[in-house]
């Protein structure tokens, strides 16, 4: 099949000769067009066409440029692999595009690092080189549309526009009514990322098998020792979450098919079986304990065994909904027939220990600097739990935090009275007393008050769950996806009403490149007329830009035009 890309990559067009000259809006459009074609071919089951389109996409200039852009602008851009190479200049970034070729490609071993886990143990991460990261990002562009099209409806981990809150909402829908399932299989896979069978992955994942085999067998350098990799996928690779999702894909659909063949399609609803998965964590609901123990758990164990995996006997359990279970930092339990979802005790304890450690390590910093450290943590934790019954947990955490901060203040001024400390560090703001706050002077010169984020003041709002069949690469879902993305971004920006207003006026699009902004891309607040040149902070003089677009504006002295609100 002969495929011709749009003008940007055709032989007759002018390919950019430097990084700054790349038209990113055109690049993203070209890749998007081919991803839509891949989705259509997958829906039709035309796997030969899928393979051909993937080959074409991974060889295109647009996809290669986008892959390099991703790995040089994400959080790991300053973390080198075993070769100690970074692509930190425009010249190196542009040169890297030409390096992304399959011919004679041989990935280098991963650099093993360890990060602490909540239970005190360490999680191993494999850090690929910049080139290997870019190659993974390149092939992910061709794999993700296929994966999204064949994924289970209620799989929510590491997928576009899906979150833990969506998984929580689906469990609520499956267990909240009187006639809902009363028993839950709370499953845990033992050493998931370390034990996935390589042969199964190579045989079943719809991507270039030669490249995939090289990644899986590349080895790892751990404490200056080169080790072979015979199973598993490295945590830290860009494509690892997609491979993990592919491994567990079919858990929901194939289980439903099995139960239909076993009991008959007409009786499936009476079984009340539902699967909700987030990455490698999942729960299965059922009408009875016997059904989960004798029918569903053995089937799941056989399903996992084909992939080299097994359930943890210590952590996997079958519980009644009245007993409750923890999942993704929440506790799900019915109290006298009413389902309540609350922050789990483990999650609350872990977060408090994190706050205690931060405060203890910053005994001598200024009050405003401590507030700057704590506010993002408090806001993030509160927003995570804002869709559930969390008011009591918020109030309790705020009380514990108050006494921790009081101890912080007394340690700084051991000879001062409580009244003096109260006047120095706490004040009344509006109708609230004992607010940990300080006067400060921002850049605009207007005196203001910086206060600690109020957990108790966080509003509780039910999360609007994403539709199970949503596919971000299918044109028929385009309008739904755009509305969903804007609603969630505006909700996230609510504490900064001016950002929400700008985002709404721009329809969620960057004012420079015209491409969508979301939580993944991030955004910067740009003044059209610079403040140093007398520009004001009025909304008419401000726009939202992608972080890299903002850097281009200042680096190349580009002019940004205020979009016309719709």
């Amino acid at each position: 099949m002969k495929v011709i890309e749009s003008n940007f990559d055709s032989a007759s067009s002018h390919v950019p000769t430097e990084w700054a000259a790349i038209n990113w809006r055109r690049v993203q459009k070209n890749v998007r067009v081919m991803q839509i074609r891949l989705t259509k071919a997958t829906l039709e089951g035309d796997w030969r066409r899928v393979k051909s389109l993937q080959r074409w996409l991974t060889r295109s200039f647009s996809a290669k440029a986008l892959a390099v852009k991703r790995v040089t602008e994400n959080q790991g851009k300053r973390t080198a692999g075993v070769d100690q190479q970074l692509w930190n200049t425009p010249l190196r970034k542009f040169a890297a595009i030409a390096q992304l070729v399959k011919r004679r490609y041989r990935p280098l071993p991963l650099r093993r690092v360890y990060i602490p886990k909540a239970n005190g143990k360490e999680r191993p991460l494999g850090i690929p080189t910049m080139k290997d990261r870019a190659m993974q990002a390149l092939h992910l562009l061709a794999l993700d549309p296929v994966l999204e099209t064949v994924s289970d409806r209620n799989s929510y981990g590491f997928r576009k526009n899906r979150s833990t809150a969506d998984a929580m909402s689906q469990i609520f829908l499956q267990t909240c009514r009187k006639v809902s399932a009363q028993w839950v299989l709370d499953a845990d896979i033992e050493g998931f990322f370390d034990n996935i069978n390589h042969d199964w992955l190579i045989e079943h994942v719809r991507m270039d098998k030669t490249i995939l085999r090289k990644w899986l067998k590349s080895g790892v350098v751990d404490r200056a020792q080169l080790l072979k990799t015979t199973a598993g996928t490295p945590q830290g690779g860009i494509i690892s979450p997609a491979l993990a999702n592919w491994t567990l894909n079919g858990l929901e659909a194939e289980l439903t098919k099995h139960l239909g063949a076993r009991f008959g399609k007409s009786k499936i609803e009476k079984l009340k079986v539902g699967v909700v998965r987030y990455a490698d964590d999942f729960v299965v609901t059922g009408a009875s304990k016997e059904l989960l123990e004798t029918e569903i758990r053995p089937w799941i164990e056989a399903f996992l065994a084909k992939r080299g995996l097994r359930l943890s006997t210590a952590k996997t359990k079958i519980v009644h909904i009245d007993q409750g279970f923890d999942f993704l930092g929440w506790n799900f339990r019915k109290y006298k027939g009413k389902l309540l979802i609350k922050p789990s005790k483990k999650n609350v304890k872990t977060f408090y220990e994190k706050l205690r450690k931060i405060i203890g390590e910053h005994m001598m910093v200024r009050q405003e600097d401590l507030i700057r450290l704590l506010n993002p943590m408090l806001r993030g934790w509160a927003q995570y739990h804002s869709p559930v019954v969390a008011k009591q947990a918020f109030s309790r955490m705020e009380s514990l935090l108050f006494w921790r901060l009081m101890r912080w203040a007394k340690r700084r001024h051991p000879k001062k009275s409580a009244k003096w400390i109260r006047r120095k560090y706490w004040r009344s703001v509006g109708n609230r007393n004992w607010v940990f706050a300080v006067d400060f002077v921002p850049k605009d010169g207007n005196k203001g008050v910086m206060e600690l984020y109020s957990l108790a003041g966080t509003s509780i709002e039910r999360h609007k769950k994403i539709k199970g069949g949503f596919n971000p690469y299918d044109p028929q879902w385009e309008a739904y996806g755009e509305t969903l993305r804007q609603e969630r971004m505006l909700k996230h920006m609510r504490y900064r009403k001016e950002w929400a207003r700008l985002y709404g006026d721009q329809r969620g699009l960057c004012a420079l490149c015209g491409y969508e902004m979301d939580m993944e891309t991030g955004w910067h607040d740009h003044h059209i007329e610079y403040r140093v040149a007398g520009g004001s902070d009025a909304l008419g003089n401000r726009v939202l830009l992608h972080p890299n677009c903002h850097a281009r504006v200042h680096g190349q002295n580009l002019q940004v035009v205020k979009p016309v609100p719709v």
Side-chain angles (χ1 to χ4, degrees):
M1 182 186 71
K2 185 178 180 181
V3 182
I4 300 176
E5 193 187 2
S6 53
N7 295 336
F8 195 77
D9 284 319
S10 64
S12 61
S13 66
H14 297 288
V15 177
T17 56
E18 59 180 356
W19 184 258
I22 297 176
N23 185 334
W24 291 110
R25 186 173 186 179
R26 184 182 294 179
V27 162
Q28 291 161 332
K29 182 178 180 181
N30 290 341
V31 173
R32 176 75 176 178
V33 166
M34 290 310 301
Q35 288 177 327
I36 290 173
R37 293 182 187 177
L38 271 168
T39 301
K40 182 179 179 182
T42 305
L43 288 169
E44 295 172 353
D46 190 346
W47 298 113
R48 289 185 63 185
R49 185 162 174 251
V50 167
K51 186 176 181 180
S52 179
L53 289 169
Q54 285 181 323
R55 185 187 303 115
W56 174 87
L57 182 58
T58 54
R59 293 178 179 178
S60 69
F61 178 89
S62 293
K64 291 177 182 179
L66 206 57
V68 173
K69 182 176 185 290
R70 173 174 179 174
V71 302
T72 55
E73 293 178 359
N74 62 13
Q75 290 184 348
K77 63 184 179 181
R78 295 185 180 89
T79 305
V82 294
D83 62 352
Q84 297 299 312
Q85 296 294 315
L86 293 177
W87 296 341
N88 49 9
T89 66
L91 190 62
R92 289 181 178 178
K93 293 177 185 179
F94 192 78
I97 297 175
Q99 299 178 31
L100 303 186
V101 292
K102 178 182 176 181
R103 178 168 43 88
R104 294 191 300 275
Y105 169 64
R106 186 170 183 175
L108 292 176
L110 305 169
R111 181 168 67 89
R112 175 65 54 83
V113 297
Y114 295 89
I115 60 173
K117 295 172 65 174
N119 59 7
K121 297 181 180 180
E122 292 184 322
R123 184 191 305 276
L125 290 184
I127 309 298
T129 64
M130 293 296 292
K131 181 178 179 180
D132 293 336
R133 269 178 261 175
M135 284 293 284
Q136 290 186 19
L138 174 63
H139 284 268
L140 182 60
L141 290 172
L143 175 64
D144 202 44
V146 182
L147 177 59
E148 282 288 341
T149 306
V150 301
S151 288
D152 290 328
R153 292 175 60 88
N154 291 307
S155 163
Y156 297 99
F158 304 122
R159 295 180 62 187
K160 289 181 180 295
N161 301 112
R162 300 188 181 223
S163 65
T164 53
D166 291 309
M168 176 271 296
S169 299
Q170 182 61 27
I171 295 176
F172 177 84
L173 293 174
Q174 291 179 186
T175 57
C176 65
R177 294 180 290 273
K178 288 185 179 180
V179 295
S180 297
Q182 298 297 303
W183 290 91
V184 177
L185 171 63
D186 182 10
D188 183 271
I189 300 176
E190 190 173 310
F192 175 71
F193 283 93
D194 297 329
N195 297 309
I196 301 175
N197 185 282
H198 283 180
D199 293 335
W200 188 94
L201 280 175
I202 294 168
E203 181 181 353
H204 291 88
V205 177
R206 297 281 182 175
M207 65 167 290
D208 190 305
K209 299 187 184 301
T210 302
I211 294 289
L212 178 58
R213 183 181 289 105
K214 288 181 178 180
W215 286 336
L216 296 175
K217 304 297 184 182
S218 63
V220 60
V221 175
D222 187 1
R223 299 181 178 92
Q225 185 178 3
L226 178 61
L227 305 174
K228 289 184 178 181
T229 47
T230 58
T233 61
Q235 297 184 64
I238 286 177
I239 206 168
S240 293
L243 297 180
N245 269 337
W246 198 289
T247 302
L248 294 180
N249 248 357
L251 183 64
E252 178 183 4
E254 291 181 26
L255 177 58
T256 303
K257 185 178 178 180
H258 164 75
L259 294 175
R262 178 81 170 79
F263 297 98
K265 294 183 178 180
S266 60
K267 295 183 179 180
I268 288 183
E269 287 189 10
K270 295 181 180 180
L271 301 177
K272 301 175 184 176
V273 175
V275 180
V276 180
R277 179 168 66 86
Y278 188 90
D280 59 320
D281 296 322
F282 64 94
V283 297
V284 185
T285 60
S288 68
K289 185 177 182 180
E290 292 72 26
L291 173 69
L292 294 173
E293 277 184 343
T294 62
E295 188 67 37
I296 293 178
R297 179 166 180 165
W299 183 90
I300 291 175
E301 289 174 341
F303 175 88
L304 295 176
K306 295 177 183 177
R307 294 151 174 79
L309 304 169
R310 63 180 182 181
L311 293 175
S312 169
T313 54
K315 296 181 180 179
T316 300
K317 53 188 178 181
I318 297 174
V319 298
H320 194 275
I321 193 64
D322 291 345
Q323 179 184 349
F325 64 95
D326 290 348
F327 188 65
L328 301 176
W330 292 300
N331 178 262
F332 299 77
R333 183 179 175 185
K334 274 190 174 180
Y335 298 83
K336 296 181 180 180
K338 184 175 182 179
L339 179 67
L340 295 181
I341 306 173
K342 303 178 181 181
S344 68
K345 291 182 180 179
K346 181 180 177 181
N347 181 274
V348 173
K349 182 179 178 181
T350 301
F351 182 67
Y352 174 69
E353 287 300 315
K354 186 178 180 181
L355 292 177
R356 185 185 64 80
K357 184 178 179 181
I358 289 293
I359 295 171
E361 291 176 349
H362 296 83
M363 294 299 297
M364 302 310 297
V365 300
R366 295 181 305 171
Q367 183 182 9
E368 61 185 86
D369 292 331
L370 182 62
I371 292 174
R372 285 193 181 99
L373 282 171
L374 294 177
N375 273 355
M377 296 167 56
L378 295 170
R379 185 179 291 112
W381 189 74
Q383 288 183 348
Y384 183 83
H385 292 297
S386 62
V388 303
V389 184
K391 278 293 185 181
Q392 185 176 2
F394 289 166
S395 296
R396 173 63 176 162
M397 184 63 69
E398 198 155 84
S399 177
L400 292 172
L401 182 58
F402 169 80
W403 290 112
R404 181 58 55 181
L405 291 172
M406 179 63 75
R407 183 179 178 185
W408 173 87
K410 287 182 177 179
R411 286 282 299 273
R412 292 164 65 89
H413 309 283
K415 297 182 179 181
K416 296 295 184 180
S417 66
K419 185 176 181 180
W420 184 93
I421 290 174
R422 193 263 190 213
R423 284 201 308 265
K424 180 172 178 60
Y425 292 107
W426 280 269
R427 64 189 59 211
S428 297
V429 178
N431 59 353
R432 294 182 298 136
N433 298 319
W434 288 89
V435 178
F436 191 71
V438 61
D439 292 329
F440 82 112
V441 180
K443 293 179 180 179
D444 59 12
N446 297 319
K447 187 176 181 180
V449 176
M450 178 184 291
E451 63 181 88
L452 192 70
Y453 180 83
S454 173
L455 290 173
T458 304
S459 59
I460 303 297
E461 294 183 29
R462 178 167 293 183
H463 178 77
K464 183 178 179 181
K465 192 185 85 69
I466 195 171
K467 292 184 179 179
F470 172 70
N471 186 340
Y473 300 104
D474 191 338
Q476 71 173 344
W477 288 98
E478 183 72 27
Y480 172 80
E482 184 174 329
T483 301
L484 179 76
R485 176 174 54 83
Q486 291 194 22
E487 286 178 353
R488 291 188 174 181
M489 282 290 288
L490 290 173
K491 182 179 179 180
H492 178 78
M493 290 177 169
R494 185 169 300 165
Y495 69 95
R496 290 295 298 269
K497 294 182 179 180
E498 292 181 347
W499 282 355
R501 173 72 179 276
L502 292 172
Y503 186 85
D505 289 346
Q506 295 175 206
R507 294 174 296 161
L509 305 178
C510 173
L512 182 67
C513 69
Y515 199 71
E516 62 188 33
M517 295 179 293
D518 53 27
M519 296 298 295
E520 185 176 339
T521 65
W523 66 90
H524 281 178
D525 190 345
H526 171 70
H527 288 69
I528 298 174
E529 184 179 357
Y530 297 169
R531 283 182 293 182
V532 294
S536 72
D537 285 328
L539 293 181
N541 189 48
R542 293 158 58 191
V543 291
L544 297 182
L545 305 172
H546 289 127
N548 59 293
C549 290
H550 195 202
R552 283 184 59 203
V553 168
H554 286 277
Q556 302 174 32
N557 198 26
L558 301 178
Q559 184 64 35
V560 180
V561 179
K562 181 76 173 178
V564 179
V566 176

